[in-house]
Amino acid sequence: RGVTSGSPTHATDSSTARPEFSVSYFYCSSDIYTFCATATVLPPLPQGIAQPLQTVAVGAVTAIGEPPLDLAALQQDEARLVSAVVHHDWVLCELVQTMPLLPLRFGTQFSDVEQVRSHLQSQAEAYRAQLTALGDRVEICLKLATRPLRLVAPLPALKGRDYFQAKKQRLQQQTLTEAQQQTQLAQLRTALIRSYPQHQIEEDSVYLLIDRKAVGQLQDQQQYWQQKFPDCEVRISGVLPPYHFV
């Protein structure tokens, strides 16, 4: 998920100066997590997979990554690999709470710090443009689902033709209810994408790109959606990196 780039190793610490934009997480033979805007002071960085995170700043763009990480060894151990991928996502989610960023896929690596710098120099304008376009917007995931059907009372103690007729009517009612739920779900999805033009749809999830300050308003919207579409459920994620929009 996210932006891809060359290959990360050891990074220098620029905790007192970060670019006005930032990318996320690098591994040189380091692992690169993100690119972000350079700022005068970085917030505290979360812990990496095995080492503290470090930064490499070139002009207006900063790379945040982790010193040497042996991906080949991780790939030989499925449990450790899964844990590392999950931790990589966790780091990105922690970073995006305090800064706009361009998330990088797990395993984005550079051979050494100089290669990171060279990459940032050659791609500076592209990253600046992406970060400028992104602004202070974040990704939110809305999970949409229909509510479970209500349990119905057992069929009355009927026999023969009357029993089969009652069973048929119940199945017809259940089919009608399910169709009504799916219609509401489609209407809800349509209302969402009309309200939020910047969106991506994947199965039962709708991903939104919205201003960080507008995230709180989604809670009010959630109540409105639940009232207007009572047969549906809307679950809202926390703030996410813009995986689906960069």
Side-chain angles (χ1 to χ4, degrees):
R1 297 186 294 185
V3 180
T4 56
S5 51
S7 55
T9 275
H10 221 107
T12 59
D13 187 340
S14 70
S15 52
T16 58
R18 83 180 170 94
E20 69 182 91
F21 298 115
S22 154
V23 187
S24 157
Y25 225 176
F26 66 84
Y27 305 90
C28 297
S29 290
S30 274
D31 203 23
I32 298 284
Y33 288 68
T34 188
F35 299 121
C36 63
T38 300
T40 54
V41 178
L42 271 174
L45 297 177
Q47 175 66 31
I49 295 168
Q51 302 287 337
L53 298 188
Q54 297 182 12
T55 61
V56 176
V58 175
V61 180
T62 293
I64 299 175
E66 184 168 342
L69 185 70
D70 191 344
L71 289 182
L74 285 177
Q75 290 169 347
Q76 301 303 312
D77 186 328
E78 184 175 357
R80 288 182 61 208
L81 179 60
V82 170
S83 177
V85 171
V86 170
H87 191 90
H88 179 97
D89 277 356
W90 173 79
V91 167
L92 291 175
C93 288
E94 288 294 301
L95 291 172
V96 81
Q97 304 306 312
T98 57
M99 68 177 82
L101 55 79
L102 303 177
L104 300 181
R105 291 181 175 89
F106 173 77
T108 301
Q109 290 199 316
F110 294 85
S111 60
D112 54 42
V113 174
E114 288 311 310
Q115 195 178 63
V116 177
R117 292 182 205 267
S118 176
H119 177 78
L120 290 181
Q121 288 170 349
S122 66
Q123 300 298 318
E125 288 307 311
Y127 288 144
R128 279 174 59 93
Q130 281 184 283
L131 286 159
T132 298
L134 179 63
D136 197 24
R137 289 179 295 176
V138 295
E139 183 172 309
I140 297 292
C141 175
L142 304 181
K143 291 278 190 182
L144 311 182
T146 56
R147 294 187 182 280
L149 293 176
R150 297 182 183 88
L151 293 176
V152 294
L155 287 171
L158 302 174
K159 294 183 179 179
R161 187 181 193 133
D162 291 339
Y163 171 81
F164 288 109
Q165 183 65 25
K167 184 175 182 180
K168 179 181 178 181
Q169 290 175 345
R170 175 163 294 180
L171 288 174
Q172 289 174 335
Q173 182 59 46
Q174 181 175 328
T175 300
L176 177 62
T177 300
E178 290 174 347
Q180 290 172 339
Q181 286 187 324
Q182 291 302 316
T183 297
Q184 275 202 17
L185 187 63
Q187 292 171 340
L188 170 58
R189 187 180 294 110
T190 299
L192 282 172
I193 64 179
R194 285 178 177 170
S195 299
Y196 297 93
Q198 289 190 287
H199 64 268
Q200 296 286 339
I201 299 176
E202 288 185 6
E203 297 180 347
D204 293 330
S205 297
V206 179
Y207 297 91
L208 310 178
L209 184 67
I210 65 173
D211 189 272
R212 189 185 300 271
K213 294 178 181 178
V215 172
Q217 299 173 8
L218 281 176
Q219 303 299 329
D220 296 333
Q221 281 288 89
Q222 183 183 32
Q223 294 179 7
Y224 167 76
W225 293 324
Q226 299 284 197
Q227 292 172 358
K228 187 169 183 179
F229 305 102
D231 288 338
C232 300
E233 294 180 341
V234 182
R235 286 174 288 174
I236 302 176
S237 73
V239 170
L240 300 171
Y243 294 123
H244 293 80
F245 300 93
V246 297

